[in-house]
């Protein structure tokens, strides 16, 4: 690996990706460059993890082969107009912003450019993120492999068609909030039965992790897993019945529908 990796913006998401890269690729810190609007923030990060400080977005754009846009969507216009004249078309731009399409990004360059768009979720902070990745037609397979390899250091990467990005935003971006509600409620139920709260959270969250791993690693269908745990006339099926009586599944489906509605509304503005 000899590519120079740049981050414009030294905020939460850039710091998380940088942390994953350094942890997973030996010597990677020498290849990482960072710039930020407030220079002290970038300098602080550089000192903390021993990476290279860049004095300006333009310097970074000239220096790096891969450029992560770790800035908020409202800064895209300013930053991309600033760097566009200096970014050669062999460079790979990786955009993180919700609601900004690969076409939007390429539009600032006014010429064909290699653009990858990713949608990471909050679990990247513990290296267990779900990261959707989509690329425009100028990006070669080996560049997608490069981005996938880099991002695998913070979670599972899945290549999708760009039209799926709104659905992805809900199922992996928003759903940690739904899942947190689920864990909290499950723990509340156990507290109601007399279990200490701190233990209830641990049991509920660990059970969530284990259940997810069974589905992913053993490829057990969720319905089959429910069937395995629910013995005939047993305890679990009583709970499943109670959930179904209150429309557990349709409530979740409605939550997904509500998020998608809101995303479409925001995209149309
Ligand atoms: N956080 C998440 O969970 C998450 C999930 C999915 C996608 N994303 C996307 O990731 C991107 C970054 O989000 P974030 O949470 O990391 O935001 P953040 O913590 O607010 O970081 C944004 C950084 O951009 C810097 N910045 C602003 N204008 C700049 C400029 N002109 N030149 C250089 N740097 C500039 C800011 O510097 P200052 O310190 O000077 O303000 C700040 O450090 C966003 O597009 C967001 O939509 C985030």
């Amino acid at each position: 690996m000899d590519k120079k990796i740049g981050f414009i913006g030294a905020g939460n998401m850039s710091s998380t990706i940088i942390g994953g890269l350094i942890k997973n690729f030996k010597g990677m810190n020498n290849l990482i460059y960072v710039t930020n609007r407030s220079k002290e923030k970038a300098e602080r990060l550089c000192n903390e993890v021993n990476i290279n400080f860049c004095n300006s977005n333009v310097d970074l754009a000239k220096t790096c082969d891969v450029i992560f846009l770790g800035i908020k969507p409202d800064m895209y216009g300013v930053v991309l107009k600033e760097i566009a004249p200096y970014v050669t078309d062999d460079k790979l731009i990786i955009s993180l912003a919700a609601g900004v399409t690969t076409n939007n990004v390429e539009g600032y360059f006014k010429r064909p450019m290699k653009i990858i768009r990713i949608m990471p979720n909050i679990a990247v902070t513990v290296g267990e993120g779900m990261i959707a990745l989509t690329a425009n037609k100028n990006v070669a397979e080996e560049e997608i492999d490069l981005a996938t390899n880099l991002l695998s250091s913070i979670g599972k990467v899945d290549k999708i068609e760009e039209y799926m990005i709104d659905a992805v935003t809900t199922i992996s971006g928003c759903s940690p909030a739904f899942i947190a509600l689920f864990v909290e409620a499950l723990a509340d139920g156990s507290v109601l039965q007399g279990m200490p709260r701190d233990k209830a959270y641990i049991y509920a969250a660990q059970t969530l992790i284990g259940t997810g791993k069974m589905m992913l690693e053993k490829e057990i269908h969720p319905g089959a897993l429910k069937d395995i745990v629910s013995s005939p006339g047993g305890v679990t099926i009583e709970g499943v019945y109670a959930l179904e009586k209150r429309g557990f599944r349709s409530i979740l489906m409605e939550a997904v529908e509500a998020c998608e509605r809101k995303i479409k509304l925001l995209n149309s503005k």
Side-chain angles (χ1 to χ4, degrees), residues 8-14 35-38 41 57 69-73 75-76 78-79 82 96-98 119-122:
I8 298 184
N12 296 320
M13 202 35 85
S14 295
T35 181
N36 195 65
R37 180 171 51 193
S38 51
K41 190 167 172 183
N57 296 339
L69 301 173
I71 47 173
K72 295 283 190 193
M75 288 310 295
Y76 267 56
V78 174
V79 170
E82 182 189 359
L96 283 78
M119 179 48 65
N121 73 358
I122 195 167

Side-chain angles (χ1 to χ4, degrees), residues 59-108:
D59 278 352
L60 184 137
K62 286 180 181 166
T63 306
C64 295
D65 306 294
V66 179
I67 303 167
F68 280 86
L69 301 173
I71 47 173
K72 295 283 190 193
D74 60 350
M75 288 310 295
Y76 267 56
V78 174
V79 170
L80 290 175
K81 279 180 197 153
E82 182 189 359
I83 65 169
Y86 307 97
V87 183
T88 48
D89 58 11
D90 56 331
K91 307 220 170 179
L92 184 61
I93 311 282
I94 304 187
S95 169
L96 283 78
V100 182
T101 65
T102 52
N103 269 343
N104 293 150
V105 176
E106 197 178 34
Y108 288 103

Side-chain angles (χ1 to χ4, degrees), residues 181-229:
L181 278 181
F182 172 78
V183 166
E184 193 184 22
L186 202 58
D188 277 345
S190 298
V191 170
L192 188 65
Q193 300 306 316
M195 189 171 192
R197 181 166 288 282
D198 54 346
K199 282 204 184 293
Y201 286 140
I202 293 169
Y203 275 70
Q206 176 59 32
T207 303
L208 185 92
I209 292 171
T211 309
K213 275 200 167 185
M214 285 180 78
M215 287 187 237
L216 289 177
E217 290 175 11
K218 297 196 165 203
E219 294 186 10
I220 301 180
H221 185 282
L225 185 48
K226 181 261 297 171
D227 289 354
I228 293 167
V229 185

